[in-house]
Coordinates of all heavy atoms in Angstrom, one line a residue:
G1 N 43.1 -132.0 156.6 CA 42.9 -132.6 155.3 C 43.4 -131.8 154.1 O 43.2 -132.3 153.0
V2 N 44.1 -130.7 154.3 CA 44.6 -129.9 153.1 C 45.8 -130.6 152.5 O 46.7 -131.0 153.3 CB 44.9 -128.5 153.5 CG1 45.6 -127.7 152.4 CG2 43.7 -127.7 154.0
R3 N 45.7 -130.8 151.3 CA 46.8 -131.6 150.5 C 47.3 -130.7 149.3 O 46.6 -129.8 148.9 CB 46.3 -132.9 150.1 CG 45.8 -133.8 151.2 CD 47.0 -134.4 152.0 NE 46.5 -135.2 153.0 CZ 46.5 -134.9 154.3 NH1 46.9 -133.7 154.7 NH2 46.1 -135.7 155.2
R4 N 48.3 -131.2 148.7 CA 48.9 -130.6 147.5 C 47.8 -130.4 146.5 O 47.1 -131.4 146.2 CB 50.1 -131.4 147.0 CG 50.7 -130.8 145.7 CD 51.9 -131.5 145.3 NE 53.0 -131.5 146.3 CZ 53.7 -130.4 146.6 NH1 53.5 -129.3 145.9 NH2 54.7 -130.4 147.5
G5 N 47.7 -129.2 145.9 CA 46.8 -129.0 144.9 C 45.4 -128.5 145.3 O 44.6 -128.0 144.5
D6 N 45.1 -128.6 146.6 CA 43.9 -128.1 147.2 C 43.8 -126.6 147.1 O 44.9 -125.9 147.0 CB 43.6 -128.5 148.6 CG 43.3 -130.0 148.8 OD1 42.8 -130.6 147.8 OD2 43.4 -130.5 149.9
R7 N 42.7 -126.0 147.2 CA 42.5 -124.5 147.3 C 42.0 -124.2 148.7 O 41.0 -124.9 149.2 CB 41.6 -124.1 146.2 CG 42.2 -124.2 144.8 CD 41.1 -123.9 143.8 NE 41.5 -124.5 142.5 CZ 41.2 -125.7 142.1 NH1 40.5 -126.5 142.8 NH2 41.6 -126.1 140.9
V8 N 42.5 -123.2 149.3 CA 42.1 -122.7 150.6 C 41.8 -121.3 150.6 O 42.6 -120.5 150.1 CB 43.3 -123.0 151.6 CG1 42.9 -122.5 153.0 CG2 43.6 -124.5 151.7
G9 N 40.7 -120.9 151.0 CA 40.3 -119.5 151.0 C 40.9 -118.7 152.2 O 41.1 -119.2 153.3
I10 N 41.3 -117.5 151.9 CA 41.7 -116.5 152.9 C 40.7 -115.4 153.0 O 40.7 -114.6 152.1 CB 43.1 -116.0 152.6 CG1 44.2 -117.1 152.5 CG2 43.5 -114.9 153.6 CD1 45.6 -116.6 152.2
L11 N 40.0 -115.3 154.1 CA 39.0 -114.3 154.3 C 39.5 -113.4 155.4 O 39.1 -113.5 156.6 CB 37.6 -114.9 154.6 CG 36.5 -113.9 154.9 CD1 36.2 -113.2 153.6 CD2 35.3 -114.7 155.3
L12 N 40.5 -112.6 155.1 CA 41.1 -111.7 156.1 C 41.4 -110.3 155.5 O 41.6 -110.2 154.3 CB 42.5 -112.2 156.5 CG 42.5 -113.5 157.3 CD1 43.9 -114.0 157.5 CD2 41.9 -113.2 158.7
N13 N 41.3 -109.3 156.3 CA 41.7 -108.0 155.8 C 43.2 -108.0 155.8 O 43.9 -108.9 156.3 CB 41.3 -106.9 156.8 CG 39.8 -106.7 156.7 OD1 39.2 -106.6 155.7 ND2 39.1 -106.7 157.9
K14 N 43.8 -107.0 155.1 CA 45.3 -106.9 155.1 C 45.8 -106.9 156.5 O 45.4 -106.1 157.3 CB 45.7 -105.7 154.3 CG 45.4 -105.7 152.8 CD 45.7 -104.4 152.1 CE 45.3 -104.5 150.7 NZ 45.6 -103.3 150.0
S15 N 46.8 -107.8 156.8 CA 47.3 -107.9 158.1 C 48.5 -108.8 158.1 O 48.8 -109.5 157.1 CB 46.2 -108.4 159.1 OG 45.8 -109.8 158.7
L16 N 49.2 -108.9 159.3 CA 50.3 -109.9 159.4 C 49.7 -111.3 159.4 O 50.3 -112.2 158.8 CB 51.0 -109.6 160.7 CG 51.8 -108.4 160.9 CD1 52.5 -108.3 162.2 CD2 52.8 -108.2 159.8
E17 N 48.5 -111.5 159.9 CA 47.9 -112.8 159.9 C 47.6 -113.3 158.5 O 47.7 -114.5 158.2 CB 46.6 -112.7 160.8 CG 46.8 -112.6 162.2 CD 47.1 -111.1 162.7 OE1 46.9 -110.2 161.9 OE2 47.5 -111.0 163.8
C18 N 47.3 -112.3 157.6 CA 47.0 -112.7 156.2 C 48.3 -113.2 155.6 O 48.3 -114.2 154.8 CB 46.5 -111.5 155.5 SG 46.0 -111.9 153.8
I19 N 49.5 -112.6 155.9 CA 50.7 -113.0 155.4 C 51.1 -114.4 155.9 O 51.6 -115.3 155.2 CB 51.9 -112.0 155.7 CG1 51.5 -110.6 155.1 CG2 53.2 -112.5 155.2 CD1 51.5 -110.6 153.6
V20 N 50.9 -114.6 157.2 CA 51.1 -115.9 157.8 C 50.3 -117.0 157.1 O 50.8 -118.1 156.8 CB 50.8 -115.9 159.3 CG1 50.8 -117.3 159.9 CG2 51.9 -115.0 160.0
A21 N 49.0 -116.7 156.9 CA 48.1 -117.6 156.3 C 48.5 -118.0 154.8 O 48.5 -119.1 154.4 CB 46.7 -117.1 156.2
L22 N 48.9 -117.0 154.1 CA 49.4 -117.2 152.7 C 50.6 -118.1 152.7 O 50.6 -119.1 152.0 CB 49.8 -115.8 152.1 CG 50.2 -115.8 150.7 CD1 49.8 -114.5 150.0 CD2 51.7 -116.0 150.6
F23 N 51.6 -117.9 153.6 CA 52.8 -118.8 153.6 C 52.3 -120.2 154.1 O 52.9 -121.2 153.6 CB 53.9 -118.2 154.5 CG 54.8 -117.3 153.8 CD1 54.7 -115.9 154.0 CD2 55.7 -117.7 152.9 CE1 55.5 -115.0 153.3 CE2 56.6 -116.9 152.2 CZ 56.4 -115.5 152.4
A24 N 51.5 -120.3 155.1 CA 51.0 -121.6 155.6 C 50.4 -122.4 154.5 O 50.6 -123.6 154.3 CB 50.1 -121.4 156.8
I25 N 49.5 -121.8 153.7 CA 48.8 -122.5 152.6 C 49.8 -123.0 151.6 O 49.7 -124.1 151.1 CB 47.7 -121.5 152.0 CG1 46.6 -121.3 153.0 CG2 47.2 -122.1 150.7 CD1 45.7 -120.2 152.7
L26 N 50.8 -122.1 151.2 CA 51.8 -122.5 150.3 C 52.6 -123.7 150.8 O 52.9 -124.6 150.1 CB 52.7 -121.4 149.9 CG 52.0 -120.2 149.1 CD1 53.0 -119.1 148.9 CD2 51.4 -120.7 147.8
K27 N 53.0 -123.6 152.1 CA 53.8 -124.7 152.7 C 53.0 -126.0 152.8 O 53.6 -127.1 152.7 CB 54.2 -124.3 154.1 CG 55.3 -123.3 154.1 CD 55.7 -122.8 155.5 CE 56.8 -121.8 155.4 NZ 57.4 -121.7 156.8
A28 N 51.7 -125.9 152.9 CA 50.8 -127.1 152.9 C 50.7 -127.7 151.4 O 50.1 -128.7 151.3 CB 49.5 -126.8 153.4
G29 N 51.2 -127.0 150.4 CA 51.2 -127.5 149.1 C 49.9 -127.0 148.3 O 49.6 -127.5 147.2
A30 N 49.1 -126.2 149.0 CA 47.8 -125.8 148.4 C 48.0 -124.4 147.7 O 49.1 -123.8 147.8 CB 46.8 -125.7 149.5
A31 N 46.9 -124.0 147.1 CA 46.8 -122.6 146.5 C 45.9 -121.8 147.3 O 44.9 -122.3 147.8 CB 46.4 -122.7 145.1
Y32 N 46.1 -120.5 147.5 CA 45.2 -119.7 148.2 C 44.3 -119.0 147.3 O 44.6 -118.6 146.2 CB 46.0 -118.7 149.1 CG 46.8 -117.7 148.4 CD1 46.2 -116.4 148.1 CD2 48.1 -117.9 148.1 CE1 47.0 -115.5 147.4 CE2 48.9 -116.9 147.4 CZ 48.3 -115.7 147.1 OH 49.0 -114.8 146.5
V33 N 43.0 -118.8 147.8 CA 42.0 -118.1 147.1 C 41.7 -116.8 148.0 O 41.1 -116.9 149.0 CB 40.7 -118.9 146.9 CG1 39.6 -118.1 146.3 CG2 41.0 -120.2 146.2
P34 N 42.1 -115.6 147.5 CA 41.8 -114.4 148.3 C 40.3 -114.1 148.3 O 39.7 -114.1 147.2 CB 42.7 -113.4 147.6 CG 42.9 -113.8 146.2 CD 42.8 -115.3 146.3
L35 N 39.8 -113.9 149.4 CA 38.4 -113.5 149.6 C 38.3 -112.2 150.3 O 38.9 -112.0 151.4 CB 37.6 -114.6 150.4 CG 37.7 -116.0 149.8 CD1 37.2 -117.1 150.8 CD2 36.8 -116.1 148.5
D36 N 37.5 -111.3 149.7 CA 37.4 -109.9 150.3 C 36.3 -109.9 151.4 O 35.2 -110.1 151.1 CB 37.0 -109.0 149.1 CG 37.0 -107.5 149.6 OD1 37.1 -107.2 150.8 OD2 36.7 -106.7 148.7
P37 N 36.7 -109.6 152.6 CA 35.7 -109.5 153.7 C 34.6 -108.5 153.4 O 33.5 -108.6 154.0 CB 36.5 -109.1 154.9 CG 37.9 -109.5 154.6 CD 38.1 -109.4 153.1
A38 N 34.8 -107.6 152.6 CA 33.8 -106.5 152.3 C 32.8 -107.0 151.2 O 31.8 -106.3 151.0 CB 34.5 -105.2 151.8
S39 N 33.1 -108.1 150.6 CA 32.2 -108.6 149.6 C 30.9 -109.2 150.2 O 30.9 -109.7 151.3 CB 32.8 -109.8 148.8 OG 33.9 -109.3 148.0

């Protein structure tokens, strides 16, 4: 259900998976919200 203009959280430490997630969210037309796993 992610559509253009939605916001999607990324709760990952720095990693290759985080980069993949960032690009995937942008390709889905959404914006990413970085979330710190240590918070």
Side-chain angles (χ1 to χ4, degrees):
V2 173
R3 300 287 179 255
R4 180 173 298 284
D6 286 342
R7 292 172 200 89
V8 177
I10 297 179
L11 181 64
L12 292 169
N13 290 313
K14 293 178 183 176
S15 63
L16 293 180
E17 292 78 14
C18 189
I19 300 298
V20 169
L22 184 147
F23 275 105
I25 291 166
L26 294 176
K27 288 178 178 194
Y32 66 90
V33 178
L35 301 167
D36 183 358
S39 291

